[in-house]
Amino acid sequence: MFKYNLKLAFKSLHYRTGLTALMVATIGIGIGMLMTMVTIGHQARKVPLPGLSDQLFLVRMDSRHADARDVTLPQRMVNLTYRDALNLFNAKTVASQQTFNFKVFPILDAQEESSRPIQAMVDATTASFFDMFGARFIYGKAWTKSENGAPVIVISKKTNDQLFGGRDSIGEQIVVGTGKATVVGVLDDWSTPRRIFDGSYSSSRFDDAFIPYQFALDINAQRSQRMSCHPQDAGKRLAFTTTDLQGLLSSECTWVNFWAKIDNPADAQQYRAFAEQYVVEQKGYGRFPRPILNFILNIDEQYAMARFGGGRQETLNLLAYLFFFVCLVNAVGMLLTKFLSTSKEVCLRRALGAKKKIIMGQYLLEVMMIGLMGGLLGVVMSFGGLTLMKHVRMYASDYTADMEVLNLAYQLDWSMVSASIGVAIASTIVVGLYPVWRIVNVSPASQLKGA
Amino acid sequence: MMLKMNNVSKIYRTELIETHALRDMNLHVEEGEFIAITGPSGSGKSTFLNIAGLLENYSQGDYFLDGENVSGLSDDKLSTIRNEKIGFIFQGFNLIPDLTLFDNVDVPLCYRGLKSADRKKRIEEALEMVGLASRMKHFPGQLSGGQQQRVAIARAIAGSPRFLLADEPTGNLDTLMARQVMELLEDINKKGTTIIMVTHDNQLAKRAHRNVQILDGQVNDIKQREAIAV
């Protein structure tokens, strides 16, 4: 019977082809828009470094001045001062690894005729950073702990392509701002969809290179990091980011991201206790004038609190859901029209012995086919929608974003493809229930009389 | 007894009025009979036919079909009885236009769940009997009205039903074609199938074994009324 019903359902798709096409288009467009928005949210919330995200903790401490405004949201808390970052880094703690980083923007120049210098976005960090964040290398490896002040550099695959045409550049020299560094590693494409490690969560572009923090300080590379200073230093921010390095290092300005890798929840508690104790000690030196408030949260916890895209994304999501709902309501009307126009045939089939459940099976199969086709069209529409949104994002960034990185944030993965088709079929079945119920309950005697 | 209706009534109710389509109708049909049902328009012939064919429920009374009381049977069970015991022939043929003659005749057999080979044999025999075996791949639109009605008859008899219900089977046909269809029904009846035929045509009605007239929802058949009373 299934085979027979399948044949009838296929045949029925060809009946009033225009209406069938309109239904498929309606569902496809609705699904396309919905899945475009859902995919953007899905990619934004995709937790990077799945095996490590519960072990990597961002450490933030309230070292602000006494009159600073209260902060309740962890993501609004300031970073660490350089002094605190260094103290924690050198302290003996339960963390299995620790690292810190800050952003600098030097010019990178391979001094080759075939490549032009680039204004790079560089992370100044420690040797442990690469292992902690699961970085993969095409060539070479990270610098060692003893090289945290050495003139070495790890470059991204893209930078290697730009400066060295993609060849193995280990050992090559690159001018980094006012200094010169030797390439010790070339990173493979990073798989994390957002720059979690610098606290920006940006999904526009990744860092072009990584250098040891001490080397960055030695060459006084221009810093560009969110900086929060006490009132007495508020006017020195420009100098702190450009020329007055010593002033910055000894100030109470917070600008350094600090990460601890803690292997289990018990150790995390112990680490938090250690951090509190540290603040208590520092208070003894007249620092940390405010009540103790430390936020030590792993990546999972940070993601749970984050609102990526903010209100704009939520509004777009809501619009997409409403639009999809409207599409489904239209689909109900069209299904009803199409099905009821076949009621004479249904009467005949019922008279000839078809049970209600068989007729229901036939029409549900047709509904599922329409849903499947709508879902497939929806996948194509989603792909188009995501491509469009990606280009809008690129335009909004004044073309400074990296297309390869945006591809990660706007890609339609298999889970979303199957979700599109699944949602299309399921929702079409739900909205098809009423039209199917109506056609199944047509009285067999009602339309058999006459020519 | 193939069909026995005792005091069967059908009342259509709306908020304003009640319409008695059948009033205490009594009709007994023996196996192998060929009955013609006549009566003016609105007398209740179609309602009777729908109830007899289990296409419509009745309001009160008893209806025994092939010895089985059909009141209170589930919709599934009624569908099964329709499929296995009743063949329908309609005035308007009711063939499915986008199916070939073969597939049209196949419809009730599919719902019975017969094997493909068995169905094929039955379809070919039925179309052979109505003289259209050579056109089984044709579509209804390629046939004349008479031929279409013969296909409808083939569809009705392919499942070897116990009785046929024919609703004005010649109503849309010219005299020659009507005669051919009538002869076909007579042949089928001779082979033992009970036939109940609704018709306006007195000439055709006279060819049946018995002529039952329905007036105002009641059987006007003195001979039968007396027989039932005895």
Side-chain angles (χ1 to χ4, degrees):
Chain A
M1 204 68 246
F2 176 78
K3 201 173 154 191
Y4 185 66
N5 270 348
L6 197 64
K7 189 175 142 192
L8 290 182
F10 262 119
K11 222 174 179 62
S12 182
L13 288 177
H14 290 98
Y15 172 69
R16 300 190 74 172
T17 319
L19 199 57
T20 305
L22 198 58
M23 273 189 286
V24 170
T26 302
I27 294 164
I29 291 168
I31 281 283
M33 188 162 165
L34 179 67
M35 296 319 288
T36 298
M37 293 307 153
V38 170
T39 300
I40 291 171
H42 165 74
Q43 294 295 1
R45 283 179 194 80
K46 198 187 265 182
V47 174
L49 310 170
L52 294 167
S53 58
D54 59 339
Q55 295 170 27
L56 294 176
F57 289 75
L58 180 66
V59 180
R60 283 176 169 174
M61 297 170 160
D62 192 356
S63 63
R64 297 172 302 153
H65 61 99
D67 299 329
R69 282 197 296 182
D70 288 342
V71 165
T72 51
L73 294 172
Q75 57 267 42
R76 292 193 182 279
M77 180 50 76
V78 295
N79 283 319
L80 300 193
T81 63
Y82 177 74
R83 185 190 323 183
D84 292 321
L86 216 52
N87 286 345
L88 293 185
F89 186 69
N90 291 324
K92 191 167 169 55
T93 70
V94 291
S96 56
Q97 280 177 300
Q98 296 189 115
T99 186
F100 61 88
N101 60 71
F102 53 86
K103 200 70 77 193
V104 292
F105 282 76
I107 302 275
L108 298 186
D109 186 358
Q111 293 183 303
E112 293 199 354
E113 282 183 8
S114 57
S115 69
R116 286 189 293 179
I118 54 173
Q119 173 76 60
M121 184 169 77
V122 176
D123 238 44
T125 186
T126 69
S128 50
F129 169 88
F130 301 97
D131 186 40
M132 282 177 72
F133 284 92
R136 288 174 288 126
F137 288 82
I138 309 175
Y139 306 119
K141 54 185 172 48
W143 62 83
T144 62
K145 189 178 172 185
S146 61
E147 291 173 322
N148 271 343
V152 290
I153 186 167
V154 167
I155 58 177
S156 71
K157 181 170 182 289
K158 188 180 168 199
T159 305
N160 190 53
D161 290 344
Q162 283 179 328
L163 295 181
F164 300 107
R167 71 169 191 267
D168 183 350
S169 56
I170 302 301
E172 298 284 354
Q173 294 278 305
I174 295 180
V175 172
V176 183
T178 58
K180 207 170 211 181
T182 306
V183 178
V184 292
V186 178
L187 289 172
D188 200 352
D189 278 335
W190 207 286
S191 59
T192 170
R194 287 179 178 277
R195 282 206 323 266
I196 44 170
F197 41 83
D198 65 7
S200 70
Y201 291 98
S202 168
S203 57
S204 296
R205 58 181 289 199
F206 288 141
D207 297 271
D208 300 305
F210 297 81
I211 56 176
Y213 71 94
Q214 189 57 56
F215 174 56
L217 298 177
D218 290 345
I219 61 172
N220 194 16
Q222 188 174 326
R223 295 159 289 283
S224 177
Q225 188 75 32
R226 194 179 68 159
M227 202 175 275
S228 172
C229 298
H230 283 206
Q232 67 270 21
D233 294 327
K236 300 177 186 168
R237 272 191 208 140
L238 183 60
F240 284 168
T241 56
T242 51
T243 52
D244 189 5
L245 177 63
Q246 287 312 314
L248 173 64
L249 299 185
S250 58
S251 74
E252 286 292 339
C253 294
T254 55
W255 58 292
V256 180
N257 299 292
F258 192 92
W259 290 86
K261 186 177 179 219
I262 305 171
D263 299 331
N264 59 64
D267 284 353
Q269 278 307 106
Q270 214 172 319
Y271 192 89
R272 287 188 179 98
F274 155 77
E276 275 198 34
Q277 187 54 41
Y278 173 78
V279 175
V280 170
E281 277 176 24
Q282 293 300 311
K283 278 176 177 287
Y285 299 116
R287 303 182 62 225
F288 288 82
R290 295 175 56 77
I292 298 174
L293 182 60
N294 298 338
F295 289 113
I296 299 172
L297 301 173
N298 65 26
I299 294 173
D300 289 344
E301 289 163 335
Q302 291 172 55
Y303 261 60
M305 291 175 191
R307 278 172 79 220
F308 296 116
R312 185 176 59 95
Q313 187 61 42
E314 283 168 15
T315 307
L316 286 174
N317 283 351
L318 180 67
L319 285 175
Y321 276 106
L322 286 175
F323 183 73
F324 184 52
F325 178 74
V326 171
C327 288
L328 289 180
V329 170
N330 277 309
V332 176
M334 285 188 272
L335 279 172
L336 207 53
T337 307
K338 183 174 162 79
F339 286 179
L340 290 183
S341 67
T342 63
S343 56
K344 186 172 181 183
E345 186 178 324
V346 171
C347 287
L348 176 69
R349 289 183 180 277
R350 294 274 289 127
L352 297 179
K355 293 171 183 165
K356 279 186 180 180
K357 60 188 173 195
I358 289 173
I359 300 289
M360 182 183 281
Q362 175 198 326
Y363 280 93
L364 279 177
L365 269 175
E366 187 178 346
V367 165
M368 284 164 74
M369 284 180 191
I370 290 170
L372 176 65
M373 289 190 290
L376 291 173
L377 179 64
V379 170
V380 175
M381 301 292 291
S382 304
F383 183 76
L386 286 166
T387 306
L388 180 70
M389 293 299 283
K390 186 168 62 185
H391 284 286
V392 168
R393 171 78 179 276
M394 186 59 126
Y395 173 77
S397 75
D398 281 341
Y399 296 91
T400 58
D402 185 335
M403 189 52 94
E404 282 179 26
V405 180
L406 286 186
N407 283 341
L408 286 174
Y410 291 88
Q411 71 179 340
L412 197 61
D413 59 23
W414 282 110
S415 66
M416 284 292 111
V417 168
S418 49
S420 300
I421 294 170
V423 168
I425 293 175
S427 53
T428 313
I429 288 176
V430 170
V431 300
L433 286 178
Y434 176 65
V436 169
W437 179 81
R438 283 283 301 270
I439 191 70
V440 162
N441 284 293
V442 165
S443 165
S446 62
Q447 295 187 45
L448 294 173
K449 186 76 182 166
Chain B
M1 185 77 66
M2 177 53 64
L3 180 150
K4 189 165 81 174
M5 283 187 181
N6 291 335
N7 302 316
V8 168
S9 297
K10 176 69 182 181
I11 304 167
Y12 294 104
R13 289 190 175 88
T14 65
E15 286 179 3
L16 297 174
I17 54 166
E18 279 189 353
T19 307
H20 291 255
L22 293 183
R23 296 168 189 267
D24 294 328
M25 180 163 176
N26 291 291
L27 182 67
H28 294 177
V29 179
E30 297 292 338
E31 188 163 357
E33 269 196 292
F34 191 151
I35 305 282
I37 307 279
T38 57
S41 294
S43 59
K45 300 189 301 292
S46 293
T47 305
F48 160 74
L49 213 60
N50 287 339
I51 290 172
L54 309 180
L55 298 173
E56 204 170 327
N57 293 324
Y58 47 94
S59 308
Q60 58 193 54
D62 290 314
Y63 173 23
F64 293 85
L65 179 65
D66 200 15
E68 185 177 6
N69 189 346
V70 298
S71 25
L73 292 182
S74 68
D75 191 82
D76 275 5
K77 180 67 180 163
L78 293 175
S79 297
T80 305
I81 295 174
R82 277 201 300 273
N83 181 260
E84 292 177 356
K85 293 191 174 178
I86 307 173
F88 291 94
I89 302 165
F90 306 97
Q91 180 181 356
F93 322 134
N94 281 333
L95 297 174
I96 299 171
D98 54 353
L99 297 185
T100 62
L101 306 193
F102 184 95
D103 289 336
N104 263 289
V105 178
D106 193 25
V107 172
L109 305 180
C110 275
Y111 291 129
R112 195 181 292 189
L114 297 176
K115 292 238 167 66
S116 167
D118 187 15
R119 290 188 347 241
K120 185 167 182 288
K121 185 166 167 280
R122 283 167 178 265
I123 296 164
E124 284 171 354
E125 282 173 1
L127 285 171
E128 183 72 42
M129 184 170 177
V130 300
L132 289 168
S134 60
R135 306 189 69 176
M136 62 175 71
K137 296 295 173 199
H138 288 210
F139 288 90
Q142 297 170 297
L143 306 181
S144 68
Q147 288 171 325
Q148 289 189 44
Q149 191 59 299
R150 276 152 58 195
V151 176
I153 292 171
R155 181 179 64 192
I157 61 172
S160 312
R162 303 275 289 140
F163 79 110
L164 291 184
L165 288 173
D167 186 5
E168 303 270 13
T170 60
N172 284 2
L173 305 179
D174 61 31
T175 314
L176 179 63
M177 287 185 178
R179 201 178 68 211
Q180 287 173 350
V181 165
M182 192 60 197
E183 283 168 2
L184 194 52
L185 291 176
E186 284 169 340
D187 283 348
I188 292 165
N189 175 246
K190 279 177 193 159
K191 288 175 183 166
T193 307
T194 310
I195 297 178
I196 299 176
M197 176 180 72
V198 167
T199 181
H200 272 108
D201 188 331
N202 287 330
Q203 294 301 315
L204 289 181
K206 282 178 188 168
R207 292 171 67 167
H209 299 165
R210 185 149 59 102
N211 192 345
V212 175
Q213 194 180 28
I214 297 181
L215 276 177
D216 297 330
Q218 287 183 308
V219 171
N220 186 27
D221 180 353
I222 299 166
K223 190 178 155 193
Q224 177 180 277
R225 281 211 301 266
E226 285 171 351
I228 291 170
V230 170

